[in-house]
Amino acid sequence: MGFLIRTAITAVAFYIAANMVTGLYFPSLANLIIAAIIFGLVNAVIRPIVATLSLPLTVLTLGLFTLVVNALMLGLTALLMPGMRITSFGTAFLAALIIWVVSWLANKLIGDRASAT
């Protein structure tokens, strides 16, 4: 149940980011939901490896490089998701920042209920 809630939160965050950032496109609502699932899988499987390898840069930049890692994971999701398009790294960076903020706010409002089920 927690996976479904997190996927729904990510889908809403994608929708908000697509409406706020020019250069982030989803052809349909179904593609947006599938992209949220792929993004969750990318963050679960690939992000820990990239975060570990980039740990020296993350420490050197006092954690700010994490935003670059998030943008890279969003770009990877766009490569894996047919129809999803990101026009530039700047678009991916800004969209990843918006997705992070929306997800953080939603998780704060929901609390640990999403991960407890």
Side-chain angles (χ1 to χ4, degrees):
M1 188 67 159
F3 177 76
L4 293 175
I5 293 171
R6 284 190 300 275
T7 301
I9 289 170
T10 302
V12 169
F14 276 180
Y15 180 77
I16 291 170
N19 285 319
M20 292 180 71
V21 179
T22 55
L24 175 63
Y25 301 104
F26 297 95
S28 69
L29 183 60
N31 284 51
L32 192 132
I33 294 169
I34 295 168
I37 294 169
I38 292 172
F39 187 67
L41 293 173
V42 165
N43 277 336
V45 176
I46 297 171
R47 188 176 190 278
I49 297 165
V50 173
T52 302
L53 292 174
S54 66
L55 189 60
L57 278 173
T58 303
V59 171
L60 188 65
T61 61
L62 302 175
L64 292 177
F65 194 74
T66 304
L67 297 173
V68 174
V69 172
N70 290 343
L72 292 173
M73 296 303 105
L74 187 60
L76 181 59
T77 301
L79 287 174
L80 296 173
M81 178 65 208
M84 180 179 172
R85 196 175 76 174
I86 299 176
T87 57
S88 69
F89 180 77
T91 298
F93 187 85
L94 187 58
L97 187 61
I98 291 169
I99 292 165
W100 174 77
V101 169
V102 171
S103 298
W104 179 79
L105 285 172
N107 286 323
K108 277 292 189 191
L109 292 173
I110 292 173
D112 289 332
R113 288 179 274 169
S115 60
T117 55

